[in-house]
Amino acid sequence: MFDRYQAGEQAILVHLDFPDDNTREDLQEFEMLVSSAGVNALNTVTGKRNTPHPKYFVGTGKAQEVAEAVRMYDANVVLFNHSLAPSQEKNIEALCECRVIDRTTLILDIFAQRARTHEGKLQVELAQLRHMSTRLIRGWTHLERQKGGIGLRGPGETQLETDRRLLHERMVNIRKRLGKVEKQRQQGRRARTRAEIPTISLVGYTNAGKSTLFNHITRADVYAADQLFATLDPTLRKIEVEDVGRVILADTVGFIRHLPHDLVAAFKATLTETREAELLLHVIDISDERRSENIEQVEEVLKEIEAGDVPQLLICNKIDCLDDVEPRIDRDELGMPIRVWLSAQQGIGIELLFIALAERLGKQIVQHQLCLPPSAGKFRGQLYELNCILDESYDEQGNCLVNIKLPLREWNRLLKQDEVEIEHFIQT
């Protein structure tokens, strides 16, 4: 159904500077997007305008310049660093006689390349279908023809109407399948809520170092690379935080300025992990000159997915790229950690992050001395799984005397167990 460019094609890039911040894009970031998509950029056409041209977006003269660049460099695709209207794409394609891709379609295609899980592929396809549903009339006349042949004569429906109907049916089918996946996610979240296991979600601008930090903390093997949108599919891992116990850490997709609304809508199920987290680790590339703008863009997306009120801990990453910056914890006037300076790539300052997590997530801690009979071996094994035993010894009757220290929520969870009467073990 879709006529997309193939990775490895030769492209002409088009970028315009606008005075309005809402329509301004970053050329360097666009070049990184193009590189991430596997496209070879032959030349970049730049210009300035106050407002987009209604027909060509770039203006008549600049559109001719783009067409000449296509012929000069023998390019087969034109990539715009802006969102184009369907009519603008159609007009520029007719002028340049090659495929035209706008910024939104490019981001969607990168996501399509990176999706690995079943859910991720469904979400990307749904976003693509939503975006492409407005772009079915690509200027080809066969779409307007009525179908002919035996049994299909008469008014019938045009090929365009057929495509729209099939597209709608496919979108309905994908939404149903995503609904089943979302139910499974909800069951997992309910189980973690019953067990009172907190969830921490990594958020941040794309290529800020979230997956590298995730791998270092969890010893996981999530794909991490110096490119935009290296992570697409969410990954959950369990970690241990002192005085807190078990915590679920979620690695999520990176954000970007003007993230396509179709993509945000399609990934809302995945981003629920972020919305329902107890704490967000907002990872920032502190060496990026545009870090302030990137932080604002992340905050906008968080508001859009209704996660703007979730508490945050800022992670100032990549301090190894700066001079004379040491790992440290910045605190507010109450002494609570608000920023951690570290380098995920070099493993510098990771211990400070765990200290900050313990303080931000730390609940009331309980400490008990238990006298466990030989028959309580299974319960003793559970204590070892919680890593809460400080020391242990044995008395003359063969009972195991253990000193334990653990979060109150973990202790309350143990008390709810029916297999053993824990109160009988407590030594006064």
Side-chain angles (χ1 to χ4, degrees):
M1 181 178 294
F2 306 127
D3 180 27
R4 285 197 222 93
Y5 71 92
Q6 300 295 319
E9 288 205 61
Q10 312 300 306
I12 299 296
L13 310 187
V14 181
H15 170 81
L16 291 185
D17 284 327
F18 292 98
D20 184 12
D21 290 338
N22 293 327
T23 54
R24 184 183 300 143
E25 301 290 357
D26 186 273
L27 178 57
Q28 182 181 355
E29 183 178 84
F30 181 53
E31 291 171 346
M32 293 180 65
L33 277 172
V34 172
S35 176
S36 297
V39 179
N40 182 26
L42 301 175
N43 188 40
T44 302
V45 178
T46 61
K48 292 184 179 181
R49 283 189 68 89
N50 291 326
T51 57
H53 190 274
K55 184 175 181 179
Y56 293 117
F57 188 88
V58 294
T60 306
K62 190 63 66 174
Q64 290 291 344
E65 183 180 339
V66 173
E68 291 173 5
V70 169
R71 288 187 285 271
M72 180 185 303
Y73 290 94
D74 195 24
N76 43 27
V77 64
V78 176
L79 301 180
F80 273 75
N81 190 21
H82 310 274
S83 294
L84 303 180
S87 60
Q88 291 169 334
E89 280 189 17
K90 173 186 172 184
N91 294 333
I92 299 170
E93 281 183 349
L95 183 65
C96 298
E97 298 180 348
C98 72
R99 187 81 167 91
V100 172
I101 300 289
D102 69 351
R103 177 186 172 89
T104 299
T105 308
L106 178 65
I107 293 175
L108 290 174
D109 202 89
I110 294 174
F111 271 61
Q113 294 180 37
R114 302 280 159 76
R116 293 292 179 267
T117 65
H118 174 66
E119 180 187 12
K121 292 176 181 178
L122 288 176
Q123 288 170 326
V124 171
E125 184 178 357
L126 179 60
Q128 287 179 316
L129 289 171
R130 281 174 169 165
H131 181 66
M132 299 298 287
S133 62
T134 62
R135 286 160 164 76
L136 283 179
I137 306 178
R138 303 292 308 179
W140 293 296
T141 55
H142 79 278
L143 292 176
E144 297 297 341
R145 293 177 184 163
Q146 291 180 346
K147 294 183 294 185
I150 298 175
L152 293 175
R153 303 185 194 279
E157 62 180 3
T158 65
Q159 183 63 48
L160 176 60
E161 291 169 336
T162 302
D163 285 349
R164 282 177 174 160
R165 176 172 53 80
L166 294 175
L167 184 144
H168 175 72
E169 291 173 357
R170 177 62 178 165
M171 290 173 65
V172 170
N173 180 262
I174 291 176
R175 288 194 186 99
K176 289 181 180 178
R177 294 164 70 180
L178 282 175
K180 294 180 180 179
V181 176
E182 172 59 12
K183 288 182 180 179
Q184 295 172 350
R185 283 191 174 276
Q186 288 176 351
Q187 290 176 350
R189 281 193 291 271
R190 282 196 295 268
R192 294 197 296 272
T193 301
R194 285 195 299 268
E196 297 183 344
I197 300 177
T199 299
I200 303 173
S201 184
L202 287 169
V203 299
Y205 208 75
T206 182
N207 203 34
K210 295 183 299 299
S211 295
T212 303
L213 179 62
F214 183 85
N215 287 339
H216 205 99
I217 294 176
T218 64
R219 302 285 191 269
D221 191 24
V222 173
Y223 177 67
D226 185 17
Q227 57 184 200
L228 302 186
F229 300 119
T231 300
L232 176 58
D233 301 307
T235 307
L236 304 181
R237 290 290 187 275
K238 182 170 64 177
I239 63 174
E240 290 285 337
V241 178
E242 187 176 357
D243 292 340
V244 177
R246 289 175 295 179
V247 173
I248 298 298
L249 183 64
D251 187 20
T252 58
V253 62
F255 302 147
I256 196 171
R257 56 176 48 82
H258 300 155
L259 190 66
H261 291 286
D262 291 331
L263 205 53
V264 174
F267 275 76
K268 271 208 169 174
T270 300
L271 295 173
T272 302
E273 301 290 351
T274 299
R275 190 167 62 246
E276 298 185 359
E278 287 197 18
L279 180 67
L280 300 182
L281 298 187
H282 184 168
V283 183
I284 304 164
D285 180 358
I286 201 65
S287 65
D288 193 335
E289 297 177 352
R290 301 159 298 173
R291 56 183 175 272
S292 297
E293 300 174 25
N294 295 347
I295 292 173
E296 292 177 3
Q297 295 297 326
V298 172
E299 295 291 350
E300 286 186 14
V301 178
L302 289 176
K303 290 178 182 177
E304 189 171 350
I305 63 173
E306 302 171 3
D309 296 330
V310 180
Q312 292 187 25
L313 176 63
L314 299 182
I315 308 299
C316 300
N317 189 28
K318 303 187 182 181
I319 63 172
D320 54 308
C321 299
L322 302 176
D323 297 329
D324 302 325
V325 177
E326 296 295 328
R328 68 178 190 269
I329 298 178
D330 293 342
R331 302 176 183 274
D332 60 14
E333 61 275 6
L334 299 177
M336 189 64 67
I338 55 174
R339 277 185 298 272
V340 180
W341 298 69
L342 53 78
S343 170
Q345 184 71 38
Q346 303 297 325
I348 302 171
I350 302 297
E351 69 283 354
L352 297 179
L353 173 58
F354 275 90
I355 292 174
L357 289 178
E359 294 185 36
R360 290 294 296 262
L361 296 174
K363 308 294 182 182
Q364 185 177 348
I365 304 299
V366 297
Q367 192 165 348
H368 292 291
Q369 185 180 49
L370 306 181
C371 179
L372 305 179
S375 59
K378 181 179 178 181
F379 177 68
R380 177 171 168 269
Q382 290 178 320
L383 295 178
Y384 268 101
E385 287 181 1
L386 292 174
N387 196 28
C388 65
I389 295 180
L390 300 178
D391 59 71
E392 68 176 0
S393 60
Y394 290 87
D395 62 14
E396 296 178 355
Q397 288 75 36
N399 296 319
C400 182
L401 306 177
V402 295
N403 286 318
I404 62 172
K405 180 181 178 183
L406 71 170
L408 178 61
R409 59 182 175 79
E410 292 284 6
W411 176 250
N412 290 335
R413 187 176 63 83
L414 289 174
L415 291 177
K416 294 177 183 178
Q417 295 181 164
D418 298 329
E419 295 87 354
V420 62
E421 293 290 337
I422 300 176
E423 289 92 341
H424 296 163
F425 300 154
I426 301 177
Q427 301 292 295
T428 57

